[in-house]
Amino acid sequence: MELKKESFIVFSDISISDVRALLKINSSPIIVMKSEMEVLGVLEERLFWKNISIGGDQQNINYYVNQSFCVVDDVHSLKEEELDKYDYVIQHRDNHYRCYPQYGVKEIKLKQSIQGLLSLNQSFQEELEGMRRKVKELTQILHSSYDEIFVTDAEGNTLFVSESCKKLTGLPPEAFINRNIKELTEKGIIVNSVTLKTMKTKSVQSAEQIYPNGVTVFCTAKPIFDEEGNLFRIVSNSRDITELVEMKSKLKRAHTKNPSISPAVGSRRTVSFNNFITSSDKMIKVIELAQKVAPMDSSIFIHGETGVGKGVLARIIHDLSLRKDQQFVQVNCGAIPPALIESELFGYESGAFTGANKRGKKGLVEMADGGTLFLDEIGEMPLDIQVKILHLVQEKTFMKVGGTKEQKANIRIISATHKNLKQLISENKFREDLYYRLHVVPLQIPPLRERKEDILLLIDYFLNNFNQKYKQSIRVDDHAKFILKLQEYPGNVRELENMIEQIVVTARNSLITIDNLPFHLSNKEAREVEITGIIPLKTALEQTEKQLLSQAFTEYKTTRQMAKVLGVSQTTIMRKLSKYQFGWSEEQ
């Protein structure tokens, strides 16, 4: 226990007789100090009388005091190992001295520790209660979610299932808790489990799942790792998409395997097939010809600039052919190094060359057996390989690298290039006999700049695709679409697709206006206005206004549509058309 009163102090010049008298009226220990206020020792009754009996009362005061002590500002600051060195601890603070025996200090520190533990325990209790409230609140939030939330540990043991599972599966959470995901999968309660996939890949996985009660959900599982990078938990989220699946099924049934052709605004037709959509008359003629020749096994050659969709058209032809249930193998001839193209195309026998697989390898031609081989960018193919392709086209046979025996190949060949093969033939870079063998049915895909009517269709199509892919709801207003439609797109459909993806993933607002378009686009709206000299500002404005009206009149034909895209009233459009002497009728 800490002494409340200040300790009694005497100076070192006190006589032994005075000490005798003092000990009779004061309890020890007593602090003995030098005249310079330096502590000399501690006078304790037991030690004093012991030393008197041994050395008499004629010794110096040092002989009778306990000099095993230390002076500190605060006894609480002493560590246990330091305390064990001394019999007494003297606390000197604010000109007051208090003397504590070693056991007294230990008792003080013990009480201090006990009090600290009691306070810590109280703090833990309060924190635990706060955590319980938060856990309860979080659990209520999770249970209130419309989506099903499913949590397992790294081994797939179910730890938590939200109450939404009753709505989706017809089973309560208790049917899943403490059961392993493998067991649930084996019993058919969960099909196509994304949790199992995430356990194996340790990455985010998504898939459609159909529960036994017929409900279809879209489920995404995400891994959670501990501080050491080990898989710790797997959290999956399932959303009911039954109605969406039914709607997609109805739409799919509504589209036959043949391209669907429907009337569009302004009496235009729209062709939609797989990932292909167009309302261009030029493009529709290409599709109709492709549809006609698809069931036949004639070689088809697709011409077109980079990015126009040659690969998409080749796939359409395959899907419309009698080989639709077999393989469609696409080969980018420009992407394979010349030294490897023969082995990639025709495969090789075991030991054909150093580093070859001991069991040999199948080539792309063999993989396409029974199906379609699409030779994209065939203009990049080396001349020596062109000879072998000619043999393949003529004889329907090929020989593996290192082989001695020819193999039959039941394939249909579709070729494509963005290059001028006639020029390559004149430069001896492409075989003329191969050209005519492949060029039985030529199809020319027009560039996007020659089918401007497709741009708005493709914008909406890609916008919908990327909104679904990135779970966004981005829209593009009519003015921004008009600017997008004015672009030239040297990269054709691929460039437009990339542009829409860029807009979706970088959008800060749900509605894209002209100001939100990439800078190089939004500033092209005046690209066709050429300034050749200084002219009056009014004249320049009229020229720009007339040019925009001309573009809009060509594209939309009706004053109502023109007014909407230009952001003015229909009356204003009619007045401007009259001013610049455009031919139009009241019906427009």
Side-chain angles (χ1 to χ4, degrees), residues 482-499:
F482 181 72
I483 295 301
L484 288 171
K485 189 174 181 180
L486 291 177
Q487 309 310 308
E488 289 299 322
Y489 299 108
N492 292 292
V493 178
R494 187 181 296 121
E495 180 182 351
L496 177 60
E497 181 180 11
N498 293 340
M499 180 65 62

Side-chain angles (χ1 to χ4, degrees), residues 497-510:
E497 181 180 11
N498 293 340
M499 180 65 62
I500 298 302
E501 182 174 12
Q502 177 189 349
I503 289 172
V504 170
V505 299
T506 61
R508 295 183 178 180
N509 304 309
S510 59

Side-chain angles (χ1 to χ4, degrees), residues 63-78:
Y63 181 75
Y64 303 101
V65 297
N66 189 332
Q67 295 183 9
S68 176
F69 69 90
C70 66
V71 180
V72 297
D73 294 332
D74 186 359
V75 295
H76 299 92
S77 64
L78 271 175

